[in-house]
Amino acid sequence: MCGIAGLIDFSSARPPSANRKIAVAMSDAIRHRGPDGSGVWGNAAGVWLSHRRLAIVDLSDAGAQPMATPDGATIISYNGEIYNAADLKPELEAAGYAFRGHSDTEVLLYACHLWGPAKAAQRVIGMFAFACWDEREHTLTLVRDRLGKKPLYWFKTARSFAFASELRPLLLHPDCPADIDRSSVCEYLRFAYVPAPNSIFEHVRKLEPAQILTVRVPSGKLALETYWDLRAEAERGIADPFPGSLEDAVAETERLLLDATRIRMIADVPLGAFLSGGIDSSIVTAMMQEASSNKTRTFSIGSPSAEYDEAADAAKVAAHLGTEHTSFVVTPEDAFRVIPDMGHFFDEPFADASQVPTYLVSKLARQEVTVALTGDGGDEVFVGYNRHVAANDLLARLNRLPQLARSAMASAMMALPPDKWQRLFNAVPSRLRPRSAGEKLHKLAPLLRLDEAAQYRSLISQWPDPRQVAISGTERATAIDDPGLALDIPDPVARMRYLDLATYLPGDILTKVDRASMAVSLETRAPLLDHRLVEWSFRLPSAVHLHDGKGKWLLRKILEKRVPAALIDRPKTGFGLPIGEWLRGPLRPWAEALLDSNRLRDLDLVREDTVRAVWKRHLSGEINAQSLIWPVLMLVEWHAGMLDWRSNARTNALARAC
């Protein structure tokens, strides 16, 4: 795991020494992604590649980057891990390549030299974002992994092109456009992240998962292509369903998952796992423990709120599996110490509140290991979200009702505020009572008035209508709006899974884990997101994934061989914290300062009166407005931090270069 950056000076207006300083400053801005070493490479064509190294495989100088082939024809700067490098290496050796070390970087370099970046990307199993310069073709090629685990930002002007693993380094480039994209603000307020290919800044883009961007030098002509198509793979799998029995489906899933876990345990540094005690992290930990002769080191975060706390459950799973377990209970004071830094760690606005415990568990793990395996992807790949079960059951039945009946039901649900519904539900035994039942009823009610595409958008929205709060800007179409999707993927659960994998997973989950872990120089790996498992999962009908009426049936069957069902069969929680409650208590002074009327007016991105009204209702306990308030807080915090950082960094690091 590393950080990459680079630039092309089409105009040759700056001397090479100035461009080199810019490339170095850009990589230094992401030192946290690679504290173990750095490198920079440039040529007479004005192309500069820089690199920050977090040494994981081959800790020697033989793994240093940017790395060039002996003939100098191909140079690479690469972030990520290629898990099947050992399988590709003999083929490359047979083609005449002599290896200096045993890093996966060298395998990827020679694969790009021999096959070209597109074919190399198709051949590898891994997570990656890399830049490859071809001296023969005078092209710079940027490539991102299939599911979007590793990030890559870029911009182009008439005189410059630049890219980086994070947004912040680009702001150090003197030509970087830095006007806030108000449409991105709208989209952020809905989704809690800025959807690709856009960023929070106009004219700065994200490379999307499985995309290849080629830049020709000196013309600056761009070409964008895709080397793996998630939608095509989903459609292909649905058209070719697995013909075997349920037992055969479990066996094949187990085989693929065992291999996906095994190859992600390759490292020359200490290795561990995040363990929440849920199905996904437990199955990954169990397979790690089976594949290793040593005890797996596991890490978990607990909450002082019993409603959110899974530390005790994680400890029981760890004890059963025999791992070396470490847990940490997060207090409001612990959270407050790091919350103001979230705008810096997530270098564009990001507001999934689980970013806080994800950062804290990463920090905890980094004290003992350099690599941690996670259970990320289990919900998206193996049908684990409540919305998947609802799409198959509740929503499917409700959508068959006449619109008039659905509207009447919605009105009845909204007749009482969430807190009063909750008091009614408190009469139900706690083991049967849904968590935040009143809030869930209020979230379900509007869905009854919407069509299916709008229902999905509503389920994953923070502000249901960003126009109510954003001062200006217009939301752009996403995969959710594709009118042909229902025809190509007719099964509603499969369709929802596809949308999760195409939008929510890279935009929210993978962004959260990447930034939170890399802020402390920890590499995370996700076996459940092996692309072979993703392709396989679409060959299995939703009736298999939801067998016996529960999501993740396949993972449950595999896990029950290793962990008693009583230890993991409970409501889904994950790494959560009672942020909404803390905003009324210990976090209130911090929030009040950010939501000050004058400060919001000066920000000029959100409507001060709307935000203050919602904040007042939250403080009164009338509603839990965490999902509405948290995005605004993170936006204000990010904006202030980014402006200060850019001003100081450019002054200190680039005064002579620019």
Side-chain angles (χ1 to χ4, degrees):
M1 191 74 68
C2 305
I4 65 173
L7 61 95
I8 305 173
D9 181 2
F10 299 120
S11 67
S12 301
R14 287 181 295 270
S17 60
N19 284 324
R20 188 181 195 283
K21 288 176 183 177
I22 295 171
V24 170
M26 289 171 66
S27 69
D28 285 349
I30 47 174
R31 186 182 186 280
H32 52 278
R33 299 187 74 93
D36 297 332
S38 64
V40 63
W41 172 92
N43 67 7
V47 179
W48 292 86
L49 306 180
S50 58
H51 188 263
R52 294 294 322 191
R53 186 183 187 196
L54 178 62
I56 302 294
V57 176
D58 193 344
L59 310 186
S60 73
D61 289 343
Q65 299 184 52
M67 185 181 290
T69 53
D71 62 2
T74 304
I75 299 90
I76 196 169
S77 185
Y78 151 62
N79 166 29
E81 299 291 345
I82 303 302
Y83 302 123
N84 64 333
D87 297 329
L88 296 175
K89 188 174 180 179
E91 186 176 349
L92 293 167
E93 288 176 323
Y97 293 95
F99 285 79
R100 297 161 290 180
H102 67 276
S103 73
D104 57 323
T105 304
E106 197 170 4
V107 171
L108 181 60
L109 172 69
Y110 292 146
C112 288
H113 185 268
L114 179 62
W115 301 318
K119 179 70 176 296
Q122 291 171 344
R123 294 288 306 274
V124 301
I125 300 170
M127 57 178 182
F128 49 85
F130 67 85
C132 178
W133 171 251
D134 189 325
E135 184 67 33
R136 299 162 296 189
E137 300 291 332
H138 272 243
T139 57
L140 178 69
T141 304
L142 305 183
V143 187
R144 194 174 177 204
D145 65 62
R146 295 171 178 87
L147 292 165
K149 296 167 191 168
K150 294 294 100 190
L152 201 55
Y153 291 82
W154 63 275
F155 77 82
K156 181 182 180 296
T157 67
R159 52 183 275 170
S160 300
F161 176 89
F163 67 90
S165 294
E166 296 181 11
L167 180 59
R168 201 175 302 268
L170 295 183
L171 299 180
L172 295 176
H173 195 290
D175 298 338
C176 181
D179 294 325
I180 288 180
D181 186 333
R182 289 179 176 267
S183 292
S184 290
V185 173
C186 282
E187 293 159 357
Y188 160 75
L189 290 167
R190 178 180 294 283
F191 298 117
Y193 61 88
V194 179
N198 303 298
S199 81
I200 193 62
F201 293 116
E202 290 183 355
H203 311 300
V204 176
R205 299 286 180 259
K206 300 184 187 89
L207 195 64
E208 295 189 77
Q211 279 192 337
I212 299 176
L213 178 65
T214 302
V215 188
R216 293 204 169 272
V217 179
S219 70
K221 184 178 179 181
L222 302 182
L224 195 63
E225 61 180 304
T226 300
Y227 67 89
W228 184 83
D229 189 329
L230 173 63
R231 180 160 169 176
E233 294 298 335
E235 293 176 21
R236 186 177 296 114
I238 293 168
D240 182 27
F242 178 64
S245 65
L246 287 174
E247 292 76 13
D248 293 337
V250 171
E252 178 62 10
T253 304
E254 186 172 18
R255 183 190 70 80
L256 288 168
L257 185 50
L258 280 166
D259 185 64
T261 304
R262 176 188 59 79
I263 62 176
R264 282 164 177 80
M265 294 176 66
I266 299 170
D268 295 334
V269 292
L271 187 77
F274 291 170
L275 179 62
S276 70
I279 292 171
D280 305 335
S281 62
S282 295
I283 199 168
V284 169
T285 301
M287 291 187 169
M288 288 179 68
Q289 190 74 336
E290 290 176 17
S292 175
S293 57
N294 301 316
K295 282 190 173 185
T296 298
R297 284 177 266 199
T298 53
F299 305 91
S300 184
I301 287 290
S303 167
S305 171
E307 186 179 5
Y308 290 85
D309 187 40
E310 283 195 331
D313 297 314
K316 291 176 184 177
V317 173
H320 177 80
L321 293 174
T323 71
E324 185 178 319
H325 189 62
T326 303
S327 64
F328 175 68
V329 175
V330 182
T331 66
E333 292 74 24
D334 296 320
F336 181 70
R337 276 192 288 269
V338 302
I339 282 173
D341 293 328
M342 290 297 111
H344 180 78
F345 297 152
F346 294 80
D347 61 349
E348 63 178 338
F350 184 84
D352 180 336
S354 62
Q355 65 198 109
V356 179
T358 302
Y359 169 77
L360 290 170
V361 76
S362 298
K363 185 177 180 182
L364 178 70
R366 189 61 175 94
Q367 296 172 17
E368 298 185 36
V369 302
T370 310
V371 177
L373 271 63
T374 77
D376 294 317
D379 291 311
E380 292 83 2
V381 179
F382 291 103
V383 191
Y385 288 124
N386 291 333
R387 58 178 173 262
H388 297 155
V389 179
N392 187 63
D393 185 16
L394 178 62
L395 284 177
R397 291 201 302 270
L398 291 174
N399 286 342
R400 287 194 288 268
L401 293 175
Q403 182 61 51
L404 187 62
R406 290 162 55 192
S407 295
M409 291 178 64
S411 298
M413 291 178 184
M414 298 297 289
L416 293 177
D419 59 328
K420 290 187 178 180
W421 277 118
Q422 193 62 52
R423 284 197 287 272
L424 292 175
F425 275 102
N426 285 343
V428 178
S430 59
R431 64 186 178 83
L432 300 175
R433 186 190 314 148
R435 194 175 83 181
S436 305
E439 294 170 30
K440 289 179 179 178
L441 275 180
H442 269 237
K443 189 146 189 172
L444 175 62
L447 302 182
L448 301 180
R449 298 188 174 105
L450 303 174
D451 61 29
E452 187 184 298
Q455 284 177 347
Y456 179 82
R457 181 183 290 101
S458 179
L459 283 168
I460 61 172
S461 292
Q462 309 302 306
W463 285 86
D465 184 359
R467 293 172 299 180
Q468 293 177 338
V469 65
I471 288 177
S472 61
T474 304
E475 293 183 82
R476 291 160 290 215
T478 69
I480 301 168
D481 304 293
D482 186 342
L485 186 59
L487 293 174
D488 295 336
I489 306 179
D491 173 46
V493 177
R495 190 160 60 248
M496 192 173 283
R497 286 180 53 229
Y498 161 74
L499 288 173
D500 286 339
L501 287 162
T503 62
Y504 178 69
L505 178 77
D508 186 307
I509 300 299
L510 296 179
T511 298
K512 174 185 68 181
V513 176
D514 175 81
R515 301 304 196 283
S517 61
M518 292 311 297
V520 295
S521 307
L522 176 77
E523 174 172 298
T524 55
R525 302 174 177 178
L528 294 167
L529 285 174
D530 189 298
H531 75 276
R532 298 169 299 171
L533 275 168
V534 173
E535 293 171 356
W536 160 250
S537 72
F538 280 105
R539 295 192 64 199
L540 301 173
S542 295
V544 173
H545 289 294
L546 292 166
H547 193 66
D548 292 338
K550 292 183 178 180
K552 291 193 278 199
W553 180 81
L554 288 160
L555 297 188
R556 291 174 190 272
K557 296 301 290 184
I558 296 169
L559 186 57
E560 71 181 18
K561 303 176 186 178
R562 297 162 171 87
V563 177
L567 294 185
I568 50 91
D569 194 7
R570 61 184 186 281
K572 180 180 178 62
T573 301
F575 291 129
L577 293 175
I579 296 292
E581 176 186 328
W582 288 356
L583 286 173
R584 297 189 187 101
L587 296 182
R588 180 172 176 175
W590 165 78
E592 287 279 19
L594 292 178
L595 300 179
D596 175 77
S597 294
N598 291 328
R599 188 164 188 175
L600 291 177
R601 283 194 291 268
D602 290 342
L603 180 68
D604 193 36
L605 294 175
V606 294
R607 300 182 191 279
E608 173 263 338
D609 55 343
T610 303
V611 172
R612 293 293 304 176
V614 171
W615 177 233
K616 183 178 180 180
R617 294 180 70 196
H618 179 81
L619 291 178
S620 72
E622 179 186 347
I623 59 172
N624 181 357
Q626 173 187 318
S627 64
L628 305 179
I629 292 299
W630 191 254
V632 178
L633 291 169
M634 290 292 100
L635 177 64
V636 180
E637 190 76 80
W638 167 83
H639 186 262
M642 180 61 78
L643 289 179
D644 289 345
W645 178 87
R646 190 185 190 207
S647 176
N648 294 333
R650 292 190 70 175
T651 299
N652 296 335
L654 292 173
R656 291 190 302 273
C658 303

